[in-house]
């Protein structure tokens, strides 16, 4: 007697499911049970779907997909419906993979018509769906391998939570233990880490074949894998599931879930485990890519920045670089501290356009070029001119679609005298915190950003850094991040710069970064990283006091106004206004600004020399004195004139006599200086 006849005699029908063609082949008994007409035949899966309750067919299709993936048996309860939609019978269907086909049996069962298919109640299904949504969200947010393993160890599956897990990767022909939970760490590492893929161990088999392995009892484990059982039994578990970690069709490892309570691994339970394994594989793949990118960006950025902490004899220096929050976390901002042949020190800070690898590469090349030009002994203006020509050549080679420019601030510092020669290429100007906490933006002439015009000129300005004063150099990320423009951004920086500890530049630098990017938790990738819209580089430089700090506070500013840059008179007025920002009399402030403007203008109009403004405020609030002088190299002394009513000049000394408390002219060996004083 044939097997088919025996099965038919006991009420079983035979059927085959071909997922590749979407067809179902049934014998006569199976056709009658499923409500298909025509007797033994091959039907489209749509015809079968029309005879079954909609939710039951979805469950059957899911079970078939799962069985195809892991080689298990697909089993499901199906409600067969008539033409009017009423349930006519309930059948149990089983299918087992046999090559590209799934073959099995179908038979009628006595089941309540209203009961859903399978062994899972509706509440369990809802619980499973909620669990999978929560697990998917948690794994999607994990951005490192350690975080993925932590999330996996806390997953509470509905009704059958594992209390031990291990994640294996594949390296060459060996199994690598990536992480584990609920197991003896040393024992797990010794037993499984580095195991050959050819070993008779379920995880190795899964990694080789890509098929899941379910072991429901210790007896089954000992029977199927006798070689490794003596090691496994020491962990005191009673059921195990080993599932492949698959990404883009490639098995990258295996996940083991171990249970202290017996688990039958029903189709629903296998479906949950398979779904979790897929999500876990995707999460581990993302974490690996993210960690690789992070290592690449960290290594790339380290090669672009100074190897040692910046240091200058007689001065304190602190520097920070915080990358942008997106992509590879690399950008075009940089800083550098360069020892010069003259014994002075150069400080460079700059920003190449863009936040990508191209910007970081150009930044590295430009940094090397600047160091080379500085080491040749060129002045700040010549260094920037050569760097602009160099960058223009690099970007022209890339073609018109990828032209880049860079802003740069180059300083040559003499620690002995505190003099600072500054050349600027489209970069934010430096700011100085004076001894009493007042902050001034040092207005310095500048040229075009590097790379725009190869033959650009970059004028040099000289500043004086007094003992105890702090110089701030930064990129625009510190100023304009968060929707601020240049003015409001500087105001935000000034609040922190003036209130921070001048004697602790490291803390002051951290305070400036926190003011823009928030707490340190925002400096890493994750949901809070959206505030890092631009990278930041900053350098703080403080000239150490030569001796005991004077009890009387002093504010001082020095500014050179060149003959060919009369617009710098506006910067001189801004410096005086900043020096006198808390002066009691606004009228005296305006008088001081007027006199400074008059003196500088006289030098530019009546001589061929540059004007050098030196201004300082000495004393305690309420009893302070402003001393301002404008020097030049001309020997022509000013003299009193009697201008008529219609004259447009000649009133400078008259204004001095009227508005200043004292004034005078001091001859110098290389010219003269006209000065005035105003008492608060």
């Amino acid at each position: 007697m044939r097997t088919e006849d025996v099965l038919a005699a006991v009420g079983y029908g035979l059927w085959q499911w071909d997922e590749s063609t979407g067809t179902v082949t049934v014998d006569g008994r199976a056709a009658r049970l499923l409500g298909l007409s025509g007797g033994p035949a091959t039907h489209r899966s749509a015809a079968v779907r029309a005879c079954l309750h909609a939710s039951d067919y979805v469950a059957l299709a899911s079970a078939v997909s799962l069985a195809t993936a892991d080689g298990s048996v697909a089993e499901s309860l199906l409600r067969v419906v008539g033409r009017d939609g009423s349930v006519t019978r309930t059948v149990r269907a089983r299918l087992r993979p046999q090559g590209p086909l799934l073959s099995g049996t179908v038979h009628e069962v006595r089941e309540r018509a209203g009961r859903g298919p399978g062994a899972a109640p509706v509440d369990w299904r809802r619980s499973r769906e909620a669990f999978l949504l929560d697990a998917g969200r948690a794994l999607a947010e994990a951005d490192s391998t350690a975080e993925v393993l932590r999330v996996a160890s806390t997953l509470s599956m509905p009704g059958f939570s594992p209390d031990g897990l291990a994640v294996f990767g594949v390296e060459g022909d060996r199994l690598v233990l990536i992480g584990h939970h609920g197991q003896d760490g040393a024992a797990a590492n010794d037993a499984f880490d580095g195991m050959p893929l050819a070993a008779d161990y379920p995880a190795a088999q899964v990694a080789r074949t890509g098929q899941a392995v379910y072991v429901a009892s210790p007896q089954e484990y000992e029977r199927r894998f006798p070689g490794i059982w003596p090691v496994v039994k020491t962990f005191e578990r009673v059921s195990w599931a080993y599932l492949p970690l698959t990404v883009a069709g490639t098995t990258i490892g295996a996940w083991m879930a171990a249970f202290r309570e017996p688990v039958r691994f029903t189709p629903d339970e296998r479906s949950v485990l398979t779904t979790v394994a897929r999500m876990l594989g995707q999460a581990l793949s993302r974490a690996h890519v993210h960690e690789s990118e992070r290592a690449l960006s960290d290594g790339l950025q380290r090669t672009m920045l100074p190897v040692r902490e910046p240091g200058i004899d007689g001065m304190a220096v602190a520097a920070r670089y915080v990358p942008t929050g997106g992509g590879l976390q690399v950008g075009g901002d940089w800083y550098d501290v360069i020892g010069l042949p003259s014994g002075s020190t150069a400080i460079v800070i700059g920003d190449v356009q863009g936040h990508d690898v191209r910007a970081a590469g150009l930044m590295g090349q430009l940094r090397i070029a600047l160091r080379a030009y500085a080491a040749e002994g060129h002045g700040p203006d010549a260094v920037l001119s050569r760097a602009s020509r160099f960058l223009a050549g690099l970007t022209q080679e890339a073609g018109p679609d990828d032209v880049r420019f860079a802003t740069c601030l180059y300083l040559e510092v003499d620690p002995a005298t505190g003099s600072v020669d500054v050349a600027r290429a489209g970069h934010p100007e430096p700011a100085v915190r004076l001894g009493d906490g007042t902050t001034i933006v040092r207005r310095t002439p500048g040229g075009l950003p590097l790379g725009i015009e190869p033959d650009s000129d970059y004028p040099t300005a000289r500043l004086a850094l007094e003992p105890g004063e702090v110089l701030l150099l930064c990129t625009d990320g510190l100023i304009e991040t968060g929707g601020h423009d240049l003015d409001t951004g500087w105001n935000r920086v000034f609040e922190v710069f003036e209130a921070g500890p001048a004697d602790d530049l490291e803390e002051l630098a951290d305070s400036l970064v926190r003011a823009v990017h928030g707490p340190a938790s925002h400096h890493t990738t994750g949901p809070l990283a959206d505030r890092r819209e631009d990278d930041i580089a900053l350098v703080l430089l403080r000239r150490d006091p030569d001796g005991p700090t004077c009890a009387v506070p002093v504010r001082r500013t020095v500014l050179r106004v060149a003959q060919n840059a009369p617009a710098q008179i506006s910067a001189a007025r801004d410096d005086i206004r900043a020096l006198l920002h808390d002066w009691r009399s606004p009228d005296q402030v305006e008088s001081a600004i007027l006199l400074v403007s008059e003196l500088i203008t006289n030098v530019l109009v009546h001589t061929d020399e540059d004007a050098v403004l030196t201004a300082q405020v000495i004393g305690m609030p309420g009893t302070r004195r402003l001393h301002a002088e404008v020097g030049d190299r001309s020997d022509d002394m000013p003299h009193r004139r009697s201008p008529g009513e219609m004259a447009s000049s000649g009133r400078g000394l008259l204004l001095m006599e009227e508005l200043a408390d004292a004034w005078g002219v001091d001859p110098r060996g290389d010219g003269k200086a006209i000065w005035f004083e105003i008492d608060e």
Side-chain angles (χ1 to χ4, degrees):
M1 181 178 290
R2 295 183 307 163
T3 303
E4 293 86 341
D5 297 331
V6 174
L7 292 174
V10 295
Y12 280 74
L14 297 176
W15 67 329
Q16 281 188 338
W17 186 298
D18 189 343
E19 276 211 311
S20 62
T21 61
T23 59
V24 177
T25 302
V26 295
D27 65 4
R29 183 67 177 180
R32 288 193 299 274
L33 290 173
L34 295 173
L36 298 169
S37 60
T42 298
H43 302 269
R44 303 292 301 174
S45 59
V48 178
R49 182 170 63 244
C51 297
L52 302 177
H53 193 282
S55 62
D56 296 2
Y57 181 82
V58 172
L60 175 63
S62 175
V64 167
S65 297
L66 179 62
T68 303
D70 61 17
S72 60
V73 175
E75 183 173 350
S76 185
L77 286 177
L78 306 174
R79 285 170 291 179
V80 180
V81 297
R83 294 181 180 273
D84 60 356
S86 62
V87 177
T88 60
R89 70 179 60 86
T90 301
V91 299
R92 182 181 299 279
R94 290 187 177 90
L95 289 167
R96 181 185 295 275
Q98 293 181 349
L101 303 176
L102 290 95
S103 302
T105 63
V106 56
H107 70 282
E108 187 173 0
V109 296
R110 300 301 176 186
E111 196 76 22
R112 286 192 299 113
R115 168 88 184 263
V122 173
D123 288 344
W124 192 92
R125 292 185 183 278
R126 290 175 179 171
S127 176
R128 179 188 67 179
E129 292 169 359
F131 160 74
L132 291 177
L133 286 173
D134 184 62
R137 176 196 56 77
L139 288 172
E141 293 178 357
D143 66 345
S144 67
T145 300
E147 182 66 10
V148 171
L149 295 175
R150 187 196 67 78
V151 171
S153 69
T154 61
L155 294 179
S156 180
M157 300 183 189
F160 66 112
S161 295
D163 63 350
L165 65 86
V167 176
F168 298 90
V170 177
E171 288 186 4
D173 59 351
R174 293 193 172 273
L175 206 61
V176 179
L177 183 61
I178 298 175
H180 56 83
H181 172 73
Q183 313 277 352
D184 184 313
N189 286 331
D190 293 342
F192 306 118
D193 195 25
M195 177 180 291
L197 285 181
D200 187 24
Y201 178 58
Q205 178 179 321
V206 168
R208 289 196 312 268
T209 65
Q211 298 288 327
V213 173
Y214 298 98
V215 185
S217 66
Q219 295 77 14
E220 182 183 356
Y221 205 122
E222 184 177 11
R223 175 176 55 81
R224 296 176 61 182
F225 304 99
I228 198 68
W229 171 244
V231 176
V232 173
K233 71 177 182 180
T234 61
F235 295 104
E236 300 180 349
R237 302 298 192 272
V238 297
S239 295
W240 300 261
Y242 296 85
L243 297 106
L245 301 176
T246 306
V247 178
T250 302
T251 301
I252 63 171
W255 171 47
M256 181 207 73
F259 304 83
R260 289 190 184 275
E261 299 296 331
V263 179
R264 292 174 43 232
F265 298 116
T266 65
D268 282 312
E269 291 168 344
R270 295 187 183 195
S271 177
V272 170
L273 290 168
T274 300
T275 304
V276 172
R278 289 171 180 168
M279 293 190 296
L280 185 58
Q282 295 288 338
L284 286 170
S285 177
R286 287 193 302 270
H288 177 70
V289 170
H290 185 78
E291 289 168 344
S292 298
E293 290 179 347
R294 186 182 301 166
L296 171 63
S297 62
D298 289 347
L300 180 61
Q301 210 67 55
R302 279 195 299 269
T303 63
M304 303 299 183
L305 296 176
V307 177
R308 297 191 304 271
E309 286 294 320
I312 303 176
D313 291 339
M315 292 190 169
V317 184
R320 293 290 184 275
Y321 173 77
V322 182
T324 183
L328 284 179
Q329 300 181 53
V330 295
D333 289 18
W334 88 96
Y335 67 87
D336 205 355
V337 179
I338 308 168
L340 301 178
S342 63
S344 300
T345 302
I347 299 178
V348 188
I349 190 168
D351 182 3
V352 175
Q353 176 192 5
H355 306 113
D356 51 13
V357 175
R358 168 73 171 158
L362 286 175
M363 177 264 285
Q365 293 173 291
L366 185 58
R367 173 175 173 262
I368 293 172
L370 282 163
R371 290 185 70 92
Y373 297 141
E376 291 175 353
H378 300 293
D381 53 344
V383 169
L384 290 190
S385 294
R386 286 167 167 76
S388 181
R389 191 175 301 112
F390 172 80
L391 182 59
L394 287 180
T395 57
Q396 286 173 2
E397 293 175 0
D401 295 334
D402 194 18
V403 175
R404 304 287 183 104
F405 62 84
T407 65
C408 185
L409 187 63
Y410 184 97
L411 287 74
E412 188 172 321
V413 182
D414 185 349
T417 64
S419 66
V420 181
D421 292 335
V422 181
R424 189 168 61 89
H427 198 83
E429 293 164 306
V432 176
R433 170 175 162 169
L434 305 179
D436 65 350
T438 301
T439 298
I440 299 175
V441 175
R442 291 296 194 190
R443 304 298 177 183
T444 56
L448 293 172
L450 305 178
I452 292 182
E453 178 58 52
D455 297 321
S456 295
D457 292 327
Y458 297 95
T460 301
R462 172 162 291 185
L463 311 177
L465 194 63
E466 299 296 330
E469 292 182 346
V470 181
L471 184 67
L472 166 64
L473 317 175
C474 66
T475 55
D476 60 352
L478 186 69
I479 303 170
E480 297 178 342
T481 295
H484 288 270
D485 58 23
L486 201 59
D487 292 333
T488 61
W490 270 126
N491 291 337
R492 175 180 60 178
V493 171
F494 285 173
E495 291 179 3
V496 181
F497 193 36
E498 293 176 352
D503 57 345
D504 187 351
L505 294 190
E506 297 294 334
E507 174 59 28
L508 183 56
D510 290 337
S511 299
L512 289 166
V513 173
R514 284 196 298 268
V516 177
H517 283 172
S521 61
H522 293 225
H523 302 173
T524 59
T525 58
L528 299 180
D530 54 340
R531 292 182 64 174
R532 296 196 297 149
E533 61 196 59
D534 195 5
D535 43 349
I536 289 177
L538 70 88
V539 179
L540 295 174
L541 178 69
R542 185 189 69 237
R543 185 181 177 195
D544 291 335
D546 297 328
T549 303
C550 181
V552 180
V554 178
R555 302 176 186 171
R556 187 168 185 261
T557 183
V558 178
L559 179 68
R560 178 183 295 274
V561 180
Q563 277 283 338
N564 60 355
Q568 284 294 103
I569 297 177
S570 174
R573 290 195 289 263
D574 290 342
D575 278 6
I576 297 300
R577 184 174 284 107
L579 279 179
L580 305 179
H581 71 95
D582 57 351
W583 202 263
R584 285 188 174 182
S585 171
D587 290 340
Q588 285 186 318
V589 174
E590 296 303 321
S591 296
I593 292 172
L594 174 62
L595 293 180
V596 166
S597 182
E598 178 70 22
L599 292 178
I600 295 176
T601 302
N602 283 342
V603 172
L604 299 184
V605 171
H606 298 296
T607 74
D608 295 327
E609 304 294 333
D610 297 342
V612 179
L613 166 67
T614 303
Q616 64 181 10
V617 175
I618 305 175
M620 304 299 292
T623 61
R624 291 174 292 191
R625 171 174 295 172
L626 168 67
H627 178 92
E629 65 179 43
V630 176
D632 61 77
R633 292 178 174 273
S634 172
D635 293 326
D636 296 335
M637 303 298 287
H639 56 278
R640 190 187 303 275
R641 299 168 61 185
S642 300
E645 293 184 6
M646 303 300 294
S648 60
S649 62
R651 297 183 177 85
L653 297 185
L654 296 177
L655 288 173
M656 297 269 284
E657 288 183 346
E658 183 66 26
L659 300 177
D661 293 308
W663 70 278
V665 180
D666 291 341
R668 304 279 173 86
D670 56 352
K672 64 180 182 299
I674 306 175
W675 58 270
F676 70 87
E677 293 180 345
I678 295 179
D679 295 325
E680 187 178 15

